[in-house]
Amino acid sequence: KIYLEYSNEVWNGIYSQGQFSETQGLIAGLDPNQNIAGFKWYADRSVEIFQIFNQEFGPSADQRLVRVLGGQSANPFVGTTVMDHNNAAQFADGLAIAPYFADTFGFPDHAAITLGKTVDEILADAEVLWQNSQTCPATHFPNPVYRKCSIATARDLGLPLTGGALPVCRPEASRLQAC
């Protein structure tokens, strides 16, 4: 299946795609708040793209596509606004929230543990974390993931957790440096 999502972290104004959606949403007059205008424009554009793919794939679209709207793990308002604007959720199959599972491998206070593992052990641990993240409620994650699960399932959407970063960094690297 093709997972179809219009860009990544469109809610994030530090990236050009976030700035672009905010500008387009303001131009379209979707909301006076630039962030909300951007979320709403992103929802509209996502639905347009889903409809283009549906038309091109024809009757097999539902079997071949997973149409994904993007939200934010730390802020349920983003996903709710995106899903509810013009009822975008009815055109989607899932809400991606990018919870960045397994990021603790890169924390400085976990460096000794991480460095003491083989690559196979780290990948096995990441697989367990990933599998545990695929259920609702997600018991191995803090409440933000559970809340996203709730807002997605309330709209008959799945929660394909994308953005599963596995930052295994040099022990001296800060979390803000590239891993």
Side-chain angles (χ1 to χ4, degrees), residues 1-2 5 14 34 44 47-48 51-54 68 71 95 103 108 131 147 156 161 163 166 170 175:
K1 287 193 172 191
I2 296 170
E5 180 179 3
I14 68 168
Q34 72 180 27
D44 288 342
V47 170
E48 288 174 5
Q51 291 172 334
I52 290 167
F53 272 75
N54 288 344
V68 180
L95 174 69
D103 64 345
Q131 292 303 323
R147 284 196 307 270
D156 294 322
L161 302 176
L166 183 57
R170 301 178 318 277
R175 296 215 358 108

